[in-house]
Amino acid sequence: MNEKQIYNTKQRRLILDCIAELGGEHFTAADVVAQLSRKGSTVGQATVYRMIDRMAERGELRKYVIDGTTAACYQLVGTPDADCREHFHLKCERCGRLIHVECEELSRIAAHMREEHGFSVDSSKTVFYGICGSCKQGK
Amino acid sequence: MNEKQIYNTKQRRLILDCIAELGGEHFTAADVVAQLSRKGSTVGQATVYRMIDRMAERGELRKYVIDGTTAACYQLVGTPDADCREHFHLKCERCGRLIHVECEELSRIAAHMREEHGFSVDSSKTVFYGICGSCKQGK
DNA sequence: TTGCGTGCAAAGGTTTTGCATGGCA
DNA sequence: TGCCATGCAAAACCTTTGCACGCAA
């Protein structure tokens, strides 16, 4: 096989714990580094990047790419097959806020696209652009 | 209004010409800079970025984000205001084809977002990424 | 012992920004 | 004249990489 062996190091356990604590919430590589150092554990950012990259490749994390100037978001995948809880992102063009949406209606979009238009949507790269509620009222 | 006045400078004309020559093909900011200097016209990259950013904001260019480490792609939009309302775009990540979709179901997405999530989707800027039917079968 | 993992710092690439100058209207 | 636009270089940003050392198995 071409699968490299994985060593069970202290840093690996720290990172896994940290991600597990977030329980399904989204996070960035910087979030992990920050949260670890908040607890007094210092782990190099390169290590964090290398680890989450590998987890994403193995399908243990889902990676969301927003745009070139925003850090990538990651999310723990419960069980590779048992979760259809994909979510979409809304990006406000005015305040720049990123909103995460997990919604029945939105989940159906993917199904509709596939059935009616033969198109498999990749929700990890799809971002809805527009104006959020706060900005609309504040304006 | 908060729309700033736009001056018709030499650089602006050069950049617009350059984009027009590409006629609908996609390009990156670096492509524009390169093509201009190939013709002997030197335009600062900051100027190019500022101009295409503004064009994208005004809906004259559509912006495609592949991932954080790749340059963003832009593409000239035919007519800014024609009927790109309630009309979405699907971008195939494999063949690169851009598919225009006008569909009852999809039109409802905007309404749903507005009513349930207080978010006004700008459909001219939103692009769904995924794999199209032909590519799925051909694969 | 073997070779994967780690840390640090530096490099990588794209995009943004500060500031003084130049040009359109 | 009053803004807006430009250029240059530097900064900012996220992410990757080189290399020597440490550590799991």
Coordinates of all heavy atoms in Angstrom, one line a residue, chain A residues 88 103-115, chain B residues 105 108 112:
Chain A
F88 N -24.1 24.8 3.9 CA -23.7 25.8 2.9 C -23.2 27.1 3.6 O -23.5 27.3 4.8 CB -24.8 26.2 1.9 CG -25.1 25.1 0.9 CD1 -26.0 24.1 1.2 CD2 -24.4 25.1 -0.3 CE1 -26.2 23.1 0.3 CE2 -24.7 24.1 -1.2 CZ -25.6 23.1 -0.9
C103 N -29.7 23.5 6.7 CA -31.1 23.7 6.6 C -31.7 22.6 5.7 O -31.2 22.3 4.6 CB -31.4 25.1 6.1 SG -33.1 25.4 5.7
E104 N -32.9 22.1 6.0 CA -33.6 21.1 5.3 C -33.7 21.6 3.8 O -33.4 20.9 2.9 CB -35.0 20.9 5.9 CG -35.8 19.8 5.3 CD -35.2 18.5 5.6 OE1 -34.3 18.4 6.6 OE2 -35.6 17.5 5.0
E105 N -34.3 22.8 3.7 CA -34.5 23.4 2.4 C -33.2 23.4 1.5 O -33.2 23.0 0.3 CB -35.0 24.8 2.5 CG -35.3 25.5 1.2 CD -36.6 25.1 0.6 OE1 -37.4 24.4 1.3 OE2 -36.9 25.4 -0.6
L106 N -32.1 23.8 2.1 CA -30.9 23.9 1.4 C -30.3 22.5 1.1 O -29.7 22.3 0.0 CB -29.9 24.7 2.2 CG -30.3 26.2 2.3 CD1 -29.2 26.9 3.2 CD2 -30.4 26.8 1.0
S107 N -30.6 21.6 1.9 CA -30.1 20.2 1.7 C -30.8 19.7 0.4 O -30.2 18.9 -0.3 CB -30.3 19.3 2.8 OG -29.6 19.7 4.0
R108 N -32.0 20.2 0.2 CA -32.7 19.7 -0.9 C -32.2 20.2 -2.2 O -32.5 19.7 -3.3 CB -34.2 20.0 -0.8 CG -35.0 18.8 -0.4 CD -36.5 19.1 -0.5 NE -36.8 20.3 0.3 CZ -38.0 20.9 0.2 NH1 -39.0 20.3 -0.5 NH2 -38.3 21.9 0.9
I109 N -31.5 21.3 -2.2 CA -31.0 21.9 -3.4 C -30.1 20.9 -4.1 O -30.2 20.7 -5.3 CB -30.1 23.2 -3.1 CG1 -31.0 24.2 -2.5 CG2 -29.4 23.7 -4.3 CD1 -30.3 25.4 -2.0
A110 N -29.2 20.3 -3.3 CA -28.3 19.3 -3.9 C -29.0 18.2 -4.6 O -28.7 17.8 -5.7 CB -27.4 18.8 -2.8
A111 N -30.1 17.7 -3.9 CA -30.9 16.6 -4.5 C -31.5 17.1 -5.8 O -31.5 16.4 -6.8 CB -31.9 16.1 -3.5
H112 N -32.1 18.3 -5.8 CA -32.8 18.8 -6.9 C -31.8 19.0 -8.1 O -32.1 18.6 -9.2 CB -33.4 20.2 -6.6 CG -33.9 20.9 -7.8 ND1 -35.1 20.6 -8.4 CD2 -33.3 21.9 -8.5 CE1 -35.3 21.4 -9.4 NE2 -34.2 22.2 -9.5
M113 N -30.7 19.5 -7.8 CA -29.7 19.7 -8.9 C -29.3 18.4 -9.5 O -29.1 18.3 -10.7 CB -28.4 20.3 -8.3 CG -28.6 21.7 -7.8 SD -28.6 22.9 -9.2 CE -28.1 24.3 -8.3
R114 N -29.1 17.4 -8.7 CA -28.7 16.1 -9.2 C -29.8 15.5 -10.0 O -29.6 15.0 -11.1 CB -28.3 15.2 -8.0 CG -27.5 14.0 -8.4 CD -26.8 13.4 -7.1 NE -27.6 13.5 -5.9 CZ -27.3 14.2 -4.9 NH1 -26.1 14.8 -4.8 NH2 -28.0 14.3 -3.8
E115 N -31.0 15.5 -9.5 CA -32.1 14.8 -10.2 C -32.6 15.6 -11.4 O -32.9 15.0 -12.5 CB -33.3 14.6 -9.2 CG -33.0 13.5 -8.2 CD -33.8 13.7 -6.9 OE1 -34.8 14.4 -7.0 OE2 -33.3 13.2 -5.9
Chain B
E105 N -37.6 25.9 -9.0 CA -37.0 25.4 -7.7 C -35.9 26.3 -7.2 O -35.8 26.7 -6.1 CB -36.5 24.0 -7.8 CG -35.9 23.4 -6.6 CD -36.9 22.9 -5.6 OE1 -38.1 22.8 -5.9 OE2 -36.5 22.7 -4.4
R108 N -36.8 29.7 -6.0 CA -37.3 29.7 -4.6 C -36.2 29.7 -3.6 O -36.5 30.1 -2.4 CB -38.2 28.4 -4.4 CG -39.7 28.7 -4.5 CD -40.4 27.6 -3.9 NE -40.1 26.4 -4.7 CZ -40.5 25.2 -4.4 NH1 -41.4 25.0 -3.4 NH2 -40.2 24.1 -5.1
H112 N -36.4 31.7 -0.1 CA -36.2 31.0 1.2 C -35.2 31.6 2.0 O -35.3 31.8 3.2 CB -35.9 29.5 0.9 CG -35.4 28.8 2.1 ND1 -36.3 28.2 3.0 CD2 -34.2 28.5 2.6 CE1 -35.6 27.6 4.0 NE2 -34.3 27.8 3.7

